[in-house]
């Protein structure tokens, strides 16, 4: 079974100049945990996840070293969130993200996700975003294939 057989083709993506306020709105309202970032030709440029947005609020290592762990004002750090909302996706995204080819074996893609602790990966063909694959997609496809008997005699690596 290939990634193409299990991936979601309906993908919400954003552009590099999308403001974080829009990204955060999509994440909070629609429960997106991450969004692929593409150019006008749908070339995959990056991925922005909730952790990327929140990471910008974490105290800097220099502050922790100079002020000590317990003297950093975490409420002040959280109040900086409005500053983060003015940034763009390009400023916070993970550039050159790991993606999978639609012809990759489904379990090979799942192994990649587990090894990197990703719950989802972009699917790109010739550098262009064509879908997303989640661990849930993988599980569902394997479940359905086994229930309907679609995997009998087809186990190849």
């Amino acid at each position: 079974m290939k990634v193409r057989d299990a991936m979601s083709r309906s993908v919400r993506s954003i552009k590099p100049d999308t403001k974080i306020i829009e990204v955060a709105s999509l994440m909070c309202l629609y429960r997106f945990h991450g969004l692929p970032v593409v150019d006008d030709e749908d070339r995959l440029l990056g991925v922005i996840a909730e952790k990327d947005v929140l990471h910008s609020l974490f105290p800097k290592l220099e502050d922790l070293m100079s002020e000590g762990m317990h003297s950093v004002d975490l409420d002040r750090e959280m109040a900086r969130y409005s500053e983060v909302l003015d940034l763009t996706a390009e400023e916070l995204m993970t550039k050159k993200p790991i993606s999978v080819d639609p012809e990759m074996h489904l379990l090979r893609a799942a192994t990649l996700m587990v090894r990197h602790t990703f719950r989802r990966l972009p699917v790109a063909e010739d550098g262009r975003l064509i879908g997303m694959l989640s661990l849930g997609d993988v599980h569902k496809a394997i479940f359905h294939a086994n229930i309907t008997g679609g995997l009998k005699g087809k186990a190849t690596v």
Side-chain angles (χ1 to χ4, degrees):
M1 182 176 291
K2 306 286 185 194
V3 166
R4 182 181 303 282
D5 302 322
M7 71 183 197
S8 172
R9 296 175 198 290
S10 176
V11 179
R12 176 69 163 112
S13 62
I14 59 172
K15 302 293 183 204
D17 62 348
T18 303
K19 292 285 190 181
I20 296 300
I21 190 165
E22 183 178 341
V23 173
S25 295
L26 289 169
M27 289 175 171
C28 292
L29 293 173
Y30 299 105
R31 302 183 109 187
F32 291 132
H33 302 287
L35 294 161
V37 182
V38 298
D39 65 13
D40 291 332
E41 286 81 42
D42 284 334
R43 282 188 299 259
L44 182 62
L45 303 175
V47 172
I48 186 161
E50 288 173 312
K51 68 177 178 63
D52 298 318
V53 176
L54 294 175
H55 185 265
S56 58
L57 298 177
F58 297 165
K60 307 289 182 268
L61 181 59
E62 304 83 48
D63 295 340
L64 291 174
M65 296 298 282
S66 67
E67 298 176 29
M69 179 67 122
H70 299 291
S71 60
V72 172
D73 186 348
L74 297 176
D75 289 327
R76 184 185 70 214
E77 295 298 323
M78 283 180 51
R80 292 184 30 254
Y81 187 70
S82 59
E83 298 168 21
V84 174
L85 296 177
D86 288 332
L87 300 174
T88 64
E90 186 171 34
E91 293 174 273
L92 297 181
M93 72 182 187
T94 299
K95 295 171 175 63
K96 298 180 185 175
I98 295 172
S99 64
V100 293
D101 186 275
E103 294 304 311
M104 180 182 279
H105 192 281
L106 191 58
L107 278 183
R108 192 173 310 278
T111 300
L112 192 62
M113 284 191 270
V114 170
R115 186 174 353 140
H116 291 281
T117 63
F118 297 150
R119 294 216 27 93
R120 71 203 49 74
L121 281 174
V123 180
E125 191 168 48
D126 298 322
R128 287 186 166 71
L129 181 69
I130 63 165
M132 291 293 282
L133 180 70
S134 72
L135 285 176
D137 295 332
V138 172
H139 189 193
K140 181 178 175 182
I142 293 170
F143 174 82
H144 283 294
N146 276 280
I147 293 301
T148 63
L151 287 182
K152 290 184 180 172
K154 295 186 180 181
T156 59
V157 178

